[in-house]
């Protein structure tokens, strides 16, 4: 059993629902108890969909358990087919139905429906949402794409090349975008525009807005753009093995990665990337270069989310904005290796966990200046009083915005710059607060004034938050204290030094406290004075 | 098309009026009882709700509540994994470990509810025994209770019923009766509770208490001299346990709208021998003020046709309020479950041509709804936006559970909840 305040991913059948809901003529029959229809809200409310998800639930109740739940399932499949007349169907069980073992696949097969019916095996007690989505997408593609087993992947590519007409544009598919994916709608638009501007024909975008017929055309393209590896890598690997279609490995988040992506795509399409690269207006890079952004240098940032966003975002933070990455991690265990590799670039150890409490403890320990994470890190950041921006699912309704807000491509880089900088205190305010501490309006304890918490009641609120944040930092220090042979460094402070510490702006105070205590313990100092504080400062630098 | 003929009829309502009650079975688009945690954790301020279930359960609770950013949420899930499924004994040890680490993290918690789910019930994990065992261990720190919020057992607000029932069940059965007292049963917003408290005091009814209390430390007095009034229509089990302790239910309509509130108060006043003159003196000014407030919304609501999808069991009292006091025409009243005794007084007040459907087959109900073409449909959030996209105005039903809607001062607010979407669709169409 795992104690969970917040979960980063839903169960795997939610992943299957995301695939079904992404598509236009696929139906999903889910064997599940009454109440599991809550998942519809994810799409109709959070994703603001105009349509009900194409999902029929058996919604069994306790009284059904004594009877024939298998019959109930078969009736649901029949009814769903009659009513919705889908072009293909997927069937599976939710966590509770998995326990009663009715075998949805076998039961559906016995009905001999005149459409492909694809059974899903999604172990709810081991796997999670993204795995479920990836697995479902893979099984649908395998089920709907016909494979001529008599020819090899290489022969397939040769056949494809031979059938090509003179002057025909290179072509690709964009795979991995789903309903309820973080900014998938706009990422697809951005990347599609980019590819088309290079003269590449986009054949199939899937699963988002794809039909069953579209999927069967996937092998006709020259290569695949694997936009979200959490969802698409398994499928792209199979397509590569079966049809010899290569696929992209670069995630085009940030200006630099987008450029590398353009080069990668150009190579796969046999094109020259130069004109595309020359014609880009790089606003985000210029904004980061402009002197207003100098104060962002070495701001300490903690990054958490799904693997591909975390890896890409860390690069942008470090190389394009000049932050210092002090921690990074992911809940995507499937991609733990890649994230560990990435963490080495910043000389930190990757945190691979789906335990919210572990992430919280890590953030408290590091006390960064900024957290880039998921909706869950917003809870943590609120508790600790740290600025925060969202870079990855899980997200809530406010991160399915009406306006165009991709994360990918050049416009995505612009969006990232604005989004990440916004929660930080602006430069002038930061300077003035370091100089004058007792202003009645711009308090060092208050949130940045551009976030509009100026009123007195709001100030009290932020005050309370800051106090908890101090408490949390103190708590984290206690954790560290165990490393110091049982000595509790919090007891080391003399009153004057404690007061001096209070003059350090709140967003770096936690780090100053930690550094000083570490310094004291390492140098065998039993009482921290003002002098120790400044000795430590000189020792470690800012 | 009139799919209604397909509906099997329950026996004709026995309450004098000829209102048929249909029963329907099929796919149900409703919440499970775990959802009750969203408001219960706010009401009982020192209680914590630990769901013992799967990732699906955790995902449900956070999808419902996660738009609020919590510094310290008072609910969590102990997620069962495949190791727990291997053997039950092991699962109990695991649960103990989780509870211990939780209570270490949150020493301020005085009451812990272990909330059962579909998976925990299907594998027959005995949470009541676990609660007993843990109670011994945390004797002076925290009370530990259990109830089921599973989808297979409970629908949405029935989660509150199960929670409150577990609280009542914990009170020992009294040997001697105490002084005559009045118990108001059902979660009410604090402001509403305070209004009712003042009203009962003005009527001269003393010794009134509200259940659940705002704080787990408050003692609840139930004995054979206790009379209780239900403030919510979904409290079947809670009422049963209260009666096992000797208390008697005062039959009344539910306090929605002016008429409902008056009848509800009157039912209690009668038991306490409050004179008609005094009752009128206390209630008349409130009634007049509520009428003034309600009048703002009547032009928008009168003669509009409304249908309810099943959700919370509030549907019948609300349909009564909207038809009696707002002049709306009720087409279909879906309810997940109909407790005929508790709703006796309500059924009496419904218009004769109402169509009550207990249970649900959501696809067929949608067919009926599309053919009825009501002016406004009360339904859950899974259906609301899709129906709006079809051009049907909706009022999402969950808000009715999350808003102060009981009593005189809220009668206008309650009407406004239905007038707002109608007003909005006119405004946005213009």
């Amino acid at each position: 059993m795992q104690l969970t305040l917040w979960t980063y991913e839903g169960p795997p059948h939610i992943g299957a629902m995301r695939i079904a809901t992404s598509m236009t003529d696929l139906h999903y029959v889910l064997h599940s108890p009454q109440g599991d229809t809550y998942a519809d809200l994810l799409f109709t409310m959070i994703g603001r969909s105009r349509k009900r998800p194409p999902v029929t639930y058996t919604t069994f109740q306790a009284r059904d358990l004594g009877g024939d739940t298998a019959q109930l399932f078969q009736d649901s499949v029949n009814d769903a087919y009659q009513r919705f007349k889908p072009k293909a169907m997927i069937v599976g069980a939710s966590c509770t139905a998995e326990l009663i073992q009715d075998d949805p696949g076998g039961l559906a097969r016995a009905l001999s429906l005149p459409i492909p019916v694809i059974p899903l095996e999604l172990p709810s007690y081991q796997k999670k949402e993204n795995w479920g989505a990836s697995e479902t997408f893979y099984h649908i593609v395998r089920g709907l794409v016909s494979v001529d087993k008599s020819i090899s992947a290489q022969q397939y590519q040769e056949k494809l090349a031979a059938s090509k007409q003179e002057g025909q544009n290179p072509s690709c598919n964009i795979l991995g975008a789903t309903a309820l994916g973080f900014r998938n709608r706009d990422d697809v638009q951005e990347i599609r525009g980019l590819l088309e501007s290079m003269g590449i024909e986009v054949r199939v975008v899937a699963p988002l807005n794809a039909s069953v017929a579209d999927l069967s055309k996937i092998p006709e393209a020259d290569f695949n753009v694997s936009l979200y590896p959490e969802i698409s890598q398994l499928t792209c690997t199979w397509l590569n093995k079966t049809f010899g279609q290569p696929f992209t490995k670069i995630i085009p988040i940030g200006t630099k990665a987008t450029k590398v992506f353009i080069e990668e795509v150009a190579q796969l399409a046999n094109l020259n990337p130069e004109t595309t690269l020359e014609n880009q207006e790089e606003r985000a890079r210029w904004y980061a270069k402009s002197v207003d952004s100098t104060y962002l240098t070495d701001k300490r940032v903690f990054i958490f989310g799904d693997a591909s966003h975390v890896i890409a975002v860390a690069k942008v933070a470090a190389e394009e904005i000049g932050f210092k990455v002090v921690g990074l991690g992911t809940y995507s265990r499937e991609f733990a290796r890649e994230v560990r590799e990435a963490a080495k670039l910043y000389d930190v150890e990757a945190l691979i966990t789906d335990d919210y409490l572990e992430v919280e403890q890590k953030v408290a320990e590091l006390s960064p200046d900024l957290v880039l994470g998921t909706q869950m890190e917003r809870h943590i950041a609120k508790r600790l009083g740290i600025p925060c921006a969202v870079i990855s699912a899980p997200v809530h309704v406010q991160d399915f915005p009406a306006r165009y807000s991709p994360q990918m491509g050049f416009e995505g880089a612009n969006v990232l710059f604005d989004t990440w900088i916004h929660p930080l205190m602006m430069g002038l305010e930061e300077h003035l607060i370091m100089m004058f501490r007792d202003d009645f309006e711009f308090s060092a304890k208050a949130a940045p004034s551009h976030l509009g918490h100026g009123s007195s009641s709001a100030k009290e609120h932020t005050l309370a938050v800051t106090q908890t944040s101090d408490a949390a930092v103190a708590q984290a220090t206690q954790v560290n204290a165990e490393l110091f042979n049982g000595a509790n460094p919090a007891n080391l402070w003399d009153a004057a030094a404690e007061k001096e510490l209070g003059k350090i702006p709140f967003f770096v105070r936690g780090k100053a406290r930690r550094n000083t205590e570490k310094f004291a313990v390492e140098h065998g100092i039993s009482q921290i004075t003002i002098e120790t504080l400044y000795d430590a400062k000189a020792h470690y630098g800012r | 098309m009139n799919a209604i003929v397909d509906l099997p009829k329950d026996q004709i309502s026995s309450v004098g009026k000829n209102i048929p009650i249909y029963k329907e079975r099929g796919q149900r688009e409703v919440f499970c009882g775990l959802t009750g945690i969203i408001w219960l954790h706010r009401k009982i301020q020192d209680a914590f709700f630990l769901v013992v279930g799967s990732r699906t359960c955790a995902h449900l609770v956070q999808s419902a509540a996660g738009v609020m950013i919590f510094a310290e949420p008072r609910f969590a899930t102990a997620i069962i994994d495949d190791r727990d499924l291997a053997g039950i004994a092991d699962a109990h040890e695991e649960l103990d470990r989780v509870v211990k680490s939780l209570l270490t993290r949150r020493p301020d918690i005085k009451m812990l509810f272990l909330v059962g789910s579909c998976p925990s019930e299907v594998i027959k994990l005995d949470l009541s025994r676990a609660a007993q065992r843990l109670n011994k261990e945390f004797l002076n720190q925290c009370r530990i209770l259990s109830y089921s919020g599973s989808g297979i057992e409970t629908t949405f607000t029935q989660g509150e019923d199960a929670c409150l029932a577990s609280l009542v069940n914990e009170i020992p059965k009294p040997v001697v009766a105490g002084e005559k007292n009045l118990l108001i049963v059902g979660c009410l917003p604090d402001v509403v509770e305070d209004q009712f408290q003042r009203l009962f005091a003005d009527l001269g009814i003393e010794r009134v208490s509200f259940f659940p209390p705002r704080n787990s430390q408050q003692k609840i007095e139930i004995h054979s001299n206790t009379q209780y009034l239900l403030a919510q229509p979904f409290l079947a089990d809670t009422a049963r346990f209260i009666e096992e302790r000797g208390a008697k239910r005062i039959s009344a309509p539910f306090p929605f709208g002016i008429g409902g509130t008056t009848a509800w108060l009157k039912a209690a006043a009668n038991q306490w021998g409050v004179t008609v003159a005094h009752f009128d003196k206390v209630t008349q000014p409130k009634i007049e003020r509520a009428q003034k407030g309600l009048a703002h919304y009547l032009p928008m609501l009168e003669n509009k046709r409304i249908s309810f999808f099943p959700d919370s069991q509030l549907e019948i009292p609300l349909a009564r309020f909207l038809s009696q006091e707002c002049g709306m025409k009720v087409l279909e009243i879906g309810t997940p479950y109909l407790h005929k005794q508790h709703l006796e007084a309500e059924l009496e007040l419904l218009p004769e041509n109402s169509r009550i459907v207990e249970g649900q087959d959501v696809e067929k109900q949608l067919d009926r709804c599309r053919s009825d073409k009501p002016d406004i449909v009360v339904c859950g959030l899974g259906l609301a936006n899709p129906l709006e996209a079809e051009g049907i105005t909706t009022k999402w039903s969950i808000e009715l559970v999350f808003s102060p809607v009981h009593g005189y001062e809220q009668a206008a607010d309650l009407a406004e909840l239905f007038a707002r979407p109608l007003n909005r669709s006119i405004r946005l169409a213009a």
Side-chain angles (χ1 to χ4, degrees), chain A residues 26 51 60 63 94 181 191 211 256 272 297-298 344 361 363 374 392 524:
Chain A
L26 180 85
K51 282 190 294 197
F60 55 83
R63 60 181 177 199
S94 79
I191 295 306
S211 67
K256 280 180 149 186
N272 185 348
T297 314
D298 274 345
K344 283 186 193 151
Q361 190 180 342
V363 177
T374 73
S392 158

Side-chain angles (χ1 to χ4, degrees), chain B residues 147-268:
Chain B
Y147 72 89
S148 166
S150 74
I152 55 177
E153 295 280 354
T154 59
T155 307
F156 194 32
T157 47
Q158 283 178 322
E160 176 177 327
D161 184 29
C163 172
L164 301 192
S166 77
L167 266 174
V168 178
N169 211 10
E170 207 212 13
I171 305 171
K173 289 187 184 154
V175 189
V176 286
E179 247 180 282
K180 182 174 178 177
N181 68 332
L182 177 64
L183 191 65
I184 310 301
V185 184
C187 230
L188 290 171
D190 295 344
V191 59
V192 175
E193 212 174 278
D194 295 342
Q195 289 165 10
F196 283 149
Q197 186 93 50
R198 288 196 297 269
L199 272 168
F200 285 121
D202 291 348
L203 286 171
I205 303 178
E206 280 157 24
R207 300 180 62 77
V208 179
S209 50
F210 290 82
F211 183 77
R214 295 182 197 184
N215 182 309
S216 69
Q217 305 304 299
Q218 274 166 295
K219 283 268 173 290
I220 300 299
E221 209 188 317
I222 308 176
H223 45 71
S224 58
N225 256 336
T226 300
Q227 304 217 25
Y228 75 98
L229 261 181
L230 291 177
Q232 302 281 19
F234 44 73
L235 298 170
D237 285 346
T238 308
R240 194 159 52 81
F241 286 130
I242 288 176
E243 285 182 15
E244 277 179 14
R245 276 147 191 79
K248 281 165 208 74
R249 183 172 67 91
I250 304 172
S251 178
F254 291 89
F256 298 106
I258 302 166
T261 305
T262 306
W264 189 73
L265 292 169
K266 184 102 187 164

Side-chain angles (χ1 to χ4, degrees), chain B residues 67-322:
Chain B
V67 75
M68 292 156 68
I69 308 294
F70 292 87
E72 275 294 356
R74 288 199 302 272
F75 48 82
T77 310
I79 296 183
I80 298 171
D81 54 36
D82 43 349
R83 287 174 305 125
D84 301 306
L85 295 176
I88 302 286
D90 186 31
H92 276 281
E93 275 169 37
E94 283 287 291
L95 183 58
D96 288 8
R97 181 181 59 76
V98 165
V99 167
K100 271 174 216 163
S101 76
L102 174 68
L103 290 177
T104 320
R105 182 186 157 94
R106 300 295 304 274
D108 52 321
I109 296 304
K110 295 283 171 273
M111 188 188 283
L112 174 68
F113 288 98
L114 304 178
V115 189
S117 66
C118 302
S120 76
E121 265 157 44
V122 168
I123 64 169
K124 306 213 181 315
L125 186 60
D126 190 345
L127 292 185
S128 66
R129 223 180 67 207
Q132 273 174 13
R133 189 177 60 235
L134 287 159
N135 252 328
K136 278 183 203 140
E137 195 158 338
F138 293 95
L139 197 59
N140 294 318
Q141 187 194 334
C142 183
R143 279 156 75 199
I144 296 158
L145 289 84
S146 72
Y147 72 89
S148 166
S150 74
I152 55 177
E153 295 280 354
T154 59
T155 307
F156 194 32
T157 47
Q158 283 178 322
E160 176 177 327
D161 184 29
C163 172
L164 301 192
S166 77
L167 266 174
V168 178
N169 211 10
E170 207 212 13
I171 305 171
K173 289 187 184 154
V175 189
V176 286
E179 247 180 282
K180 182 174 178 177
N181 68 332
L182 177 64
L183 191 65
I184 310 301
V185 184
C187 230
L188 290 171
D190 295 344
V191 59
V192 175
E193 212 174 278
D194 295 342
Q195 289 165 10
F196 283 149
Q197 186 93 50
R198 288 196 297 269
L199 272 168
F200 285 121
D202 291 348
L203 286 171
I205 303 178
E206 280 157 24
R207 300 180 62 77
V208 179
S209 50
F210 290 82
F211 183 77
R214 295 182 197 184
N215 182 309
S216 69
Q217 305 304 299
Q218 274 166 295
K219 283 268 173 290
I220 300 299
E221 209 188 317
I222 308 176
H223 45 71
S224 58
N225 256 336
T226 300
Q227 304 217 25
Y228 75 98
L229 261 181
L230 291 177
Q232 302 281 19
F234 44 73
L235 298 170
D237 285 346
T238 308
R240 194 159 52 81
F241 286 130
I242 288 176
E243 285 182 15
E244 277 179 14
R245 276 147 191 79
K248 281 165 208 74
R249 183 172 67 91
I250 304 172
S251 178
F254 291 89
F256 298 106
I258 302 166
T261 305
T262 306
W264 189 73
L265 292 169
K266 184 102 187 164
N270 287 345
Q271 300 295 322
W272 260 258
V274 179
T275 64
V276 174
H278 184 59
F279 184 84
D280 288 347
K281 198 179 133 217
V282 171
T283 54
Q284 206 51 45
K286 309 269 194 260
I287 291 173
E288 278 164 24
R289 185 163 62 193
Q291 279 166 342
K292 212 167 123 189
L294 190 60
H296 291 298
Y297 305 105
L298 297 185
M300 186 57 80
L301 297 175
E302 273 166 344
N303 293 317
K304 295 285 190 328
R305 300 149 76 246
I306 187 167
S307 275
F308 289 84
F309 277 65
D311 186 56
S312 61
Q313 301 183 46
L314 294 175
E315 296 83 6
I316 288 174
L318 291 177
R320 180 264 302 160
F321 161 69
L322 293 170

Side-chain angles (χ1 to χ4, degrees), chain A residues 41-53:
Chain A
L41 272 72
L42 305 172
F43 300 92
T44 60
M45 291 304 296
I46 298 178
R48 268 186 248 254
S49 163
R50 292 163 201 264
K51 282 190 294 197
R52 293 173 62 213

